[in-house]
Amino acid sequence: MRFSTLAAFSAAAFAVVATPVLCESGVDAATCASASAAASAASACAELTAVLPTGTVLTPSANSSAYVAAQSSSFNVLNSALRPTCIVRPRSTLHVSVAMARIFAHGAHYAVRAGGHTGMRGWDGVAAGVLLDLSLLTAFRYDAAARVVHVGPGLRWEQIYALAAPHGVAPLGGRVGHVGTGLLLGGGLSLLSPQHGYACDGVVGVEVVLVDGRVREVDATDALLRAIKGGGGRFGIVTRYTLRAFHTGTRAEKRWYAGTVTTLDRAGMDAMVQLTEEFVRADDDPRATMLANVGTLKQNGTTLWVGTTFLFYHGTRREFERVFAGFLAIDGAAVDARPMSYHEATQLTPLGWSAGQAYKWLGGSLYPSHPSTYLSLWRNIQAFLTQHHASLNTAFLSITPVRTHQIEQGYRAGGNALSPPPGRSFMHWQLSNILDPGAIAFPHALEQARLRLIRDNPSSKGLPLLLNEVDASQSVFETYGWVEEMKKVYASVDPTRFSVLHQQGPMF
């Protein structure tokens, strides 16, 4: 039986009862658990194939080419290499609801993929489970009266910006256009963040499918919305975001002055890091935003040291040059800056890697201090890169300031799960580790060195980690200022802890 409406589905959705796999005597627990997971996923996939429209559920045998294309749609080969029992490509919230009800009833493992850029293995891919690929949920609507945009989770930020630009507006979204809306679930950083808060602070409502398939409309009066804003998908599958639309101008309006400062000199990179710390410490100008990147990349087999700082100012060239004078004066650095529309500014920061490479992140959060905390971190990372450059295709330390106005705006917008302490600026840092094309696993020595780097460079006490930019081993939720309230919200929407038990992701 195929369902065409939520009403028709609701009566039957929760009547499915899973049949447990019983272990035979002498079979070890791990083997039994693996067999049970495979059986649960197979049962869920069989039922979903029967009830969802033809072509919605892809399996290796029935839709081999379409299945392979969907499986490999994750940018990270650590996830695209995982082989789901089936892949569900929903075209509506109803399809997501049906899928989650069956997954829940059968106790199947699952993963959710939107943009597919995560650095965490198993977070948007799954073996012996059900993968929900949201790439077809691409609806967009601008509501001028309410000053919001409604967007589907399958859109990427470059698409959202292009759709919003003719209206002269933009939401708080990603700095890299190819990234997807999952950014909002991790907190997210935007070119507009210094003025309006983390990217998630622009979320004013969502439609979310809970783990048992129930659909819930969530607005700012509901504590669930705050938990979702930084909750990393742990609280359900968002099938529609309602985002505040800020007046940024059309493509013809050059309201921004922005550009890059690039150096191949190690002393110049040191200067970039020191100047970034000074920027964090300086008086807050919400119209200024920046991103410093220093690290290594390979060209024709040779490792090069490169530093590039992306500078943005919502204003004039004179103001840009005043605020970023130190960066513009770095000895020997190349400067490329010009007037831009906001839409052009969002295209300035490149993705930095190619689909099909294996990569992981690690990161932290630091207050500025004397002597330079940021420069000490950079020294430790330089030593790491010097030792392991042969295993890495690209590796950059990225530093993003989070200043007081951004923090305040987040609380004014209703708060988010991160809840950083107000009144003092800090920075989030991320180290990207991207392997050479063709490599599908991190060497043991490199992985151990990464874990030591995390251990030896702790975050400042009381600061939240940014879920978008850390390693899976880092206990992100425990760093959040709102973690105890998050636990209560989670218990109310997933009392059996199904998501924690059946979906890889951030943990309580």
Side-chain angles (χ1 to χ4, degrees):
M1 180 185 297
R2 300 185 188 276
F3 300 100
S4 58
T5 67
L6 280 171
F9 163 68
S10 60
F14 306 103
V16 181
V17 178
T19 301
V21 173
L22 301 178
C23 293
E24 297 180 4
S25 176
V27 177
D28 68 272
T31 301
C32 183
S34 177
S36 178
S40 297
S43 297
C45 289
E47 289 200 13
L48 289 171
T49 300
V51 300
L52 289 175
T54 302
T56 303
V57 181
L58 308 178
T59 60
S61 56
N63 326 81
S64 57
S65 60
Y67 173 91
V68 170
Q71 176 192 10
S72 60
S73 64
S74 174
F75 260 57
N76 194 339
V77 73
L78 298 179
N79 284 312
S80 62
L82 298 174
R83 187 178 175 86
T85 305
C86 68
I87 301 172
V88 180
R89 303 189 75 202
R91 296 179 177 86
S92 68
T93 299
L94 170 63
H95 295 169
V96 179
S97 177
V98 170
M100 278 311 306
R102 290 303 194 272
I103 290 167
F104 182 79
H106 287 283
H109 294 320
Y110 69 103
V112 182
R113 180 180 299 167
H117 289 86
T118 183
M120 287 76 157
R121 183 179 185 274
W123 285 28
D124 72 8
V126 63
V130 182
L131 174 62
L132 289 97
D133 175 357
L134 307 183
S135 61
L136 300 180
L137 299 179
T138 57
F140 176 91
R141 182 170 64 87
Y142 171 52
D143 184 336
R147 292 190 292 182
V148 297
V149 291
H150 304 280
V151 302
L155 289 169
R156 301 184 188 278
W157 291 109
E158 60 193 6
Q159 296 171 306
I160 295 170
Y161 295 145
L163 291 165
H167 305 287
V169 300
L172 283 169
R175 298 170 295 181
V176 178
H178 202 271
V179 170
T181 57
L183 171 99
L184 300 170
L185 303 177
L189 292 164
S190 169
L191 298 186
L192 297 174
S193 283
Q195 297 178 67
H196 303 295
Y198 284 95
C200 67
D201 291 320
V203 180
V204 296
V206 297
E207 179 184 69
V208 62
V209 177
L210 303 181
V211 291
D212 58 6
R214 288 175 296 153
V215 179
R216 186 159 157 181
E217 291 281 352
V218 183
D219 63 21
T221 65
D222 193 330
L224 177 56
L225 185 66
R226 184 168 181 175
I228 286 171
K229 293 158 62 174
R234 186 55 81 199
F235 293 82
I237 302 173
V238 175
T239 52
R240 185 187 67 246
Y241 295 93
T242 301
L243 309 175
R244 295 167 66 197
F246 298 95
H247 188 64
T248 51
T250 65
R251 298 188 193 198
E253 297 176 87
K254 311 291 186 181
R255 298 184 175 191
W256 290 68
Y257 203 89
T260 58
V261 177
T262 303
T263 181
L264 303 181
D265 179 64
R266 298 279 282 275
M269 295 176 220
D270 290 351
M272 284 182 174
V273 174
Q274 288 179 301
L275 287 164
T276 301
E277 186 161 13
E278 291 174 14
F279 180 85
V280 173
R281 193 182 292 115
D283 292 340
D284 192 355
D285 182 344
R287 294 174 296 171
T289 187
M290 59 159 295
L291 169 65
N293 288 305
V294 287
T296 62
L297 59 83
K298 279 183 183 173
Q299 284 190 352
N300 301 319
T302 300
T303 298
L304 304 177
W305 290 83
V306 182
T308 301
T309 298
F310 299 86
L311 305 172
F312 306 87
Y313 196 86
H314 191 183
T316 66
R317 175 177 179 174
R318 177 177 293 182
E319 292 168 311
F320 173 89
E321 291 178 343
R322 172 183 56 81
V323 171
F324 297 120
F327 292 95
L328 301 176
I330 292 175
D331 189 37
V335 177
D336 180 13
R338 62 190 185 280
M340 295 184 186
S341 67
Y342 182 72
H343 186 261
E344 288 174 308
T346 64
Q347 298 174 317
L348 191 62
T349 310
L351 183 60
W353 70 94
S354 302
Q357 288 182 271
Y359 55 86
K360 295 183 180 182
W361 318 137
L362 60 93
S365 304
L366 287 173
Y367 286 122
S369 66
H370 297 285
S372 174
T373 305
Y374 298 3
L375 196 57
S376 296
L377 169 67
W378 170 228
R379 293 278 186 258
N380 293 340
I381 288 175
Q382 285 184 80
F384 167 84
L385 296 180
T386 299
Q387 183 176 0
H388 296 283
H389 69 88
S391 300
L392 295 166
N393 179 266
T394 307
F396 277 92
L397 167 64
S398 300
I399 304 175
T400 302
V402 177
R403 301 208 282 181
T404 54
H405 189 265
Q406 174 177 333
I407 299 169
E408 292 164 3
Q409 289 300 106
Y411 284 104
R412 290 177 183 173
N416 55 55
L418 289 74
S419 297
R424 187 178 176 190
S425 301
F426 65 97
M427 67 88 155
H428 290 303
W429 66 268
Q430 175 201 42
L431 179 63
S432 59
N433 295 155
I434 304 170
L435 303 186
D436 289 328
I440 60 172
F442 272 64
H444 178 74
L446 175 61
E447 186 62 22
Q448 292 303 304
R450 294 179 68 257
L451 296 176
R452 284 195 300 273
L453 202 58
I454 294 171
R455 182 194 65 210
D456 295 342
N457 294 276
S459 293
S460 298
K461 186 177 180 180
L463 286 180
L465 294 172
L466 186 65
L467 183 58
N468 309 108
E469 299 187 346
V470 296
D471 184 72
S473 67
Q474 295 181 263
S475 300
V476 176
F477 285 171
E478 294 304 321
T479 70
Y480 284 4
W482 209 62
V483 62
E484 294 305 319
E485 290 79 2
M486 284 179 73
K487 292 176 181 178
K488 296 174 185 176
V489 175
Y490 181 71
S492 72
V493 297
D494 187 8
T496 66
R497 295 178 63 81
F498 185 84
S499 171
V500 167
L501 296 172
H502 295 273
Q503 178 191 21
Q504 290 193 43
M507 304 292 285
F508 289 108

